[in-house]
Amino acid sequence: MNRPFALIVTDTSPLFTLVLAGALDTLLRPGLPVRIPDAVYIEATRVHGAPGAEQIVEWINAHLDLVQIVPTDIGIDQQRRLEEGRATRGLG
């Protein structure tokens, strides 16, 4: 069922705050699909071993039916910057 509303996570701060609280599932409580722009996902998970990054990836993978990474022009640019070794800070 495609619902007309979704919860959109527009910054990494809520993800990291919820990870620290052990409460990422709070995003699922409203019963809405959760959309995470690719730029936010990249910023939150780009440093392997960073506190919270692995938990975010695991949580998303456990809820692929409800959580979607949404491609954006900024995310595509951010991925290109990462591949070229340029700064990406603050884009997500």
Side-chain angles (χ1 to χ4, degrees):
M1 173 200 290
N2 192 5
R3 296 186 181 187
F5 299 101
L7 183 91
I8 302 172
V9 181
T10 59
D11 191 67
T12 59
S13 297
L15 292 174
F16 286 123
T17 299
L18 290 169
V19 163
L20 290 173
L24 275 171
D25 283 347
T26 302
L27 293 172
L28 303 174
R29 285 191 184 156
L32 298 171
V34 177
R35 304 293 183 244
I36 302 173
D38 55 355
V40 173
Y41 175 77
I42 292 166
E43 185 172 315
T45 61
R46 74 173 182 259
V47 178
H48 299 289
E54 186 175 322
Q55 291 95 328
I56 291 168
V57 171
E58 290 173 359
W59 179 79
I60 290 169
N61 287 336
H63 300 286
L64 290 175
D65 56 329
L66 297 171
V67 181
Q68 178 185 14
I69 307 302
V70 180
T72 63
D73 290 340
I74 291 173
I76 293 166
D77 181 56
Q78 188 175 17
Q79 186 62 40
R80 188 176 310 121
R81 286 172 176 262
L82 281 171
E83 291 168 2
E84 295 171 355
R86 295 188 294 148
T88 60
R89 188 172 186 115
L91 292 178

